[in-house]
Amino acid sequence: MLLNRLDRYTARTVLVSMFMVQVLLLGLDFVINFISDIEDVTDSYTTFNVLFYTFLRLPWRFYQYAPVSVLIGALVGLGAMASNNELTVMRAAGRSLLRILWSVMKPLGLVIIITMLVGEFAAPWSEQYAQSFRAEQRQGSSVASEDGGWQREGDSFYRFGSIRTDDTVIDFNRYRYDGQQLVEAQHADRVVHEDGQWVLHNIRTTHINDDNTTTSTRESATWQTSLTPELLRLIITDRDSRSMTDLWRYAHYLNSQGLSADQFVALLLAEAAVATDAGLTGAGSGLVRLWSAA
C-alpha cells in the first residue's frame, strides 16, 4: 500500500511539474508570436483577429513543446523531491533507483498518448483552421501573402495562396509547360468548390508564343483536377504541422502522380517519433536526476 502511495506521489509530482513547464512555455510562445504578428494588423485583419489566430495555434505549439516540457518537468519535479530529501527517504525505505525511475516512467505513458492524440487530431485541425481564418480576414488586404503551396500535376505547376473554410481557394496560379518551355500562365482571383467540381473566377490567361504573348480574360471556367479540398489543405498547410494520416494520404497522392514522396515518408516517421521522444526524454532526464541525487 505504501509503495502504491509512493508511486502515485512521484507520478503526481512529475506530472504537475511537466504541466507547469508546458503552460509556461506556451504562455511565452503566445506572447512572443502575438507581438510578432501584430505588425500584420490592417483594417480587415484586426488585433482581435491576431489574438484569435495565435490562440488557435496553441495545440500545435503544445505538440512541438511536449518533449521539452517533459525533459524540464521531470528534472524540476525530481529536483524538488531531492531538495526536500524525499528521494533519500525513499532510498532509506528500501526503494531502488530503478524502482523510483519506474514510478517516473508510468505517467509518461499518459503523456505519450495525449501527445499523439493532439498531434494526430487537434493540432492539424486547429492549424488548418487558423490558416483559413487568417486568409479570410486578410482577403481584402493589399498585403501579399507569404503562405501558400506549390503542386505539380501533369504538365502544369500550380501555386495556391490560401484556402478558406468554405473550400474557396484564394490567389490561384497555373503555369503550363510544353516540355521545358513555358507556354501558358493563368491566374484566378478565387476558385470555388461547387457540386463536386472546381470553378475558377475572374480568370486572366497569358499565352506565351515564340515571338509574342497574348492575354485573355474570362469570368469563370471549370478546372479539371484530381485535387480535392482536403488535399489542397495539405498542400497549403505547413508540412511540419500535418498529422501522420495526412502525410500518408499526401504521399499516396504523390505516388499516384508519379512524383517522389520520400521526404513525406521521412516526415511521417519523424512525426511518429515525436511522441515517443517525449517519453524517452522524460525517462532519460529522470535517470540522470536520480543518479545525481543518489
Side-chain angles (χ1 to χ4, degrees), residues 13-286:
T13 301
V14 172
L15 280 177
V16 170
S17 299
M18 292 177 183
F19 175 77
M20 296 302 295
V21 171
Q22 184 71 282
V23 170
L24 178 61
L25 291 175
L26 288 178
L28 291 174
D29 182 86
F30 182 89
V31 173
I32 293 172
N33 280 281
F34 176 74
I35 295 174
S36 176
D37 292 344
I38 203 72
E39 299 176 357
D40 298 332
V41 169
T42 61
D43 293 338
S44 59
Y45 189 54
T46 64
T47 302
F48 177 79
N49 295 145
V50 175
L51 186 67
F52 186 59
Y53 168 74
T54 308
F55 176 78
L56 287 174
R57 302 197 69 193
L58 284 181
W60 174 242
R61 296 300 188 184
F62 171 89
Y63 182 69
Q64 287 184 313
Y65 287 132
V68 178
S69 64
V70 167
L71 170 63
I72 300 176
L75 292 175
V76 170
L78 291 175
M81 294 178 65
S83 63
N84 293 329
N85 295 321
E86 292 170 333
L87 295 180
T88 303
V89 173
M90 290 183 184
R91 293 297 309 278
R95 175 158 292 201
S96 65
L97 287 177
L98 291 179
R99 188 68 178 84
I100 299 175
L101 179 62
W102 177 243
S103 301
V104 175
M105 292 182 63
K106 284 181 179 180
L108 293 181
L110 177 63
V111 173
I112 293 175
I113 293 174
I114 293 176
T115 302
M116 292 185 65
L117 291 176
V118 171
E120 183 66 21
F121 301 104
W125 179 88
S126 65
E127 185 71 11
Q128 292 175 12
Y129 186 84
Q131 300 298 335
S132 299
F133 172 79
R134 185 171 66 167
E136 291 178 21
Q137 301 303 317
R138 299 182 65 186
Q139 184 175 353
S141 173
S142 59
V143 179
S145 173
E146 298 179 356
D147 302 322
W150 288 85
Q151 182 60 42
R152 176 188 175 186
E153 190 175 63
D155 59 356
S156 300
F157 289 85
Y158 296 93
R159 200 273 178 184
F160 310 100
S162 58
I163 183 170
R164 304 189 319 197
T165 53
D166 59 354
D167 295 338
T168 298
V169 177
I170 307 299
D171 191 18
F172 168 94
N173 293 277
R174 175 190 180 190
Y175 305 93
R176 188 169 64 85
Y177 284 80
D178 183 7
Q180 301 295 322
Q181 181 68 34
L182 177 64
V183 296
E184 182 181 279
Q186 187 177 68
H187 171 82
D189 291 342
R190 69 183 190 279
V191 187
V192 182
H193 195 252
E194 301 173 341
D195 300 326
Q197 64 179 358
W198 293 101
V199 180
L200 308 174
H201 293 274
N202 299 330
I203 311 164
R204 184 175 67 255
T205 305
T206 300
H207 301 276
I208 303 173
N209 305 312
D210 293 335
D211 53 354
N212 65 354
T213 60
T214 59
T215 302
S216 60
T217 59
R218 298 171 64 182
E219 286 294 327
S220 63
T222 58
W223 172 38
Q224 301 298 327
T225 179
S226 60
L227 290 171
T228 63
E230 291 75 19
L231 284 174
L232 273 181
R233 284 193 172 85
L234 297 182
I235 295 171
I236 295 173
T237 304
D238 183 4
R239 65 186 183 183
D240 291 333
S241 61
R242 299 168 184 169
S243 68
M244 290 185 286
T245 303
D246 291 338
L247 289 171
W248 178 262
R249 287 166 50 203
Y250 189 54
H252 179 74
Y253 166 77
L254 291 177
N255 286 327
S256 69
Q257 295 295 316
L259 302 175
S260 174
D262 293 345
Q263 60 176 327
F264 294 96
V265 174
L267 282 173
L268 174 62
L269 297 176
E271 289 292 321
V274 168
T276 306
D277 181 54
L280 294 178
T281 301
S285 63

